[in-house]
Amino acid sequence: MKDLRTLMPHSKADTKMDRKDKLFIINEVCEMKNCNKCIFFEAKKKQDLYIWLSNVPHGPSAKFLVQNIHTLAELKMTGNCLRGSRPVLSFDPVFDQKPHYALLKELFIQIFSTPQYHPRSQPFVDHVFAFSIADERIWFRNYQVSSRFVYEHESVIVTGTL
């Protein structure tokens, strides 16, 4: 979660939710923080990790099972991404071929692209968020753009249904 927050200068964090709280509490938290997009991590039975992506308060929302994740620290690929830089979003052509993938593409664009003139963003680009589809799974990768090399920073596999 911290790696994603680091890569997204327009993010706002909140404390952990109690397991007894219902999911509609997220809408109230987003309203208090003046947010209209949400990424929510849900752990079930300390084994499965789910990620919710949603437009608040009226949707759509998508729930994914996270099957694999490699953090920046784990890979020891700290790279040189500058804090607050904007990402370029890259999508697999499959996202334009099926309607449910097109909806997810729009949701990813709205959540992961940095709003123009955001106070914590910088006017330059030095990394790419790549979304690709293989074996009915969505792969998310962060690449650093360098004049000499492209480094893979983080990989996440998510799969799920709308």
Side-chain angles (χ1 to χ4, degrees), residues 74-147:
E74 174 188 341
L75 295 175
K76 297 180 182 173
M77 293 180 161
T78 56
N80 195 21
C81 288
L82 298 172
R83 187 173 209 83
S85 64
R86 298 170 164 276
V88 171
L89 301 181
S90 172
F91 289 93
D92 190 332
V94 177
F95 277 98
D96 295 324
Q97 295 172 359
K98 297 183 179 178
H100 63 284
Y101 286 139
L103 178 64
L104 290 175
K105 177 181 176 180
E106 185 61 32
L107 191 61
F108 292 150
I109 288 170
Q110 291 177 10
I111 289 176
F112 290 103
S113 61
T114 305
Q116 195 166 8
Y117 305 118
H118 190 276
R120 286 187 280 168
S121 70
Q122 300 297 327
F124 48 83
V125 173
D126 69 351
H127 61 286
V128 176
F129 288 163
F131 299 90
S132 56
I133 297 173
D135 299 328
E136 296 295 319
R137 291 180 170 91
I138 298 174
W139 290 74
F140 169 79
R141 289 193 172 111
N142 174 46
Y143 293 97
Q144 175 188 342
V145 176
S146 173
S147 59

Side-chain angles (χ1 to χ4, degrees), residues 40-81:
F40 175 69
F41 292 92
E42 180 182 24
K44 295 249 180 147
K45 299 180 183 176
K46 297 184 180 181
Q47 290 181 341
D48 295 331
L49 177 65
Y50 294 94
I51 185 171
W52 287 81
L53 304 175
S54 66
N55 278 336
V56 177
H58 302 296
S61 65
K63 179 181 180 180
F64 298 97
L65 171 65
V66 178
Q67 292 184 324
N68 189 9
I69 188 164
H70 298 285
T71 63
L72 297 173
E74 174 188 341
L75 295 175
K76 297 180 182 173
M77 293 180 161
T78 56
N80 195 21
C81 288

Side-chain angles (χ1 to χ4, degrees), residues 13-29:
D14 198 54
T15 58
K16 293 181 181 179
M17 288 180 47
D18 189 12
R19 289 184 182 182
K20 297 173 187 170
D21 289 341
K22 301 292 182 191
L23 289 178
F24 68 85
I25 299 294
I26 296 171
N27 288 345
E28 295 174 8
V29 171

Side-chain angles (χ1 to χ4, degrees), residues 145-151:
V145 176
S146 173
S147 59
R148 296 177 55 172
F149 301 102
V150 175
Y151 299 100

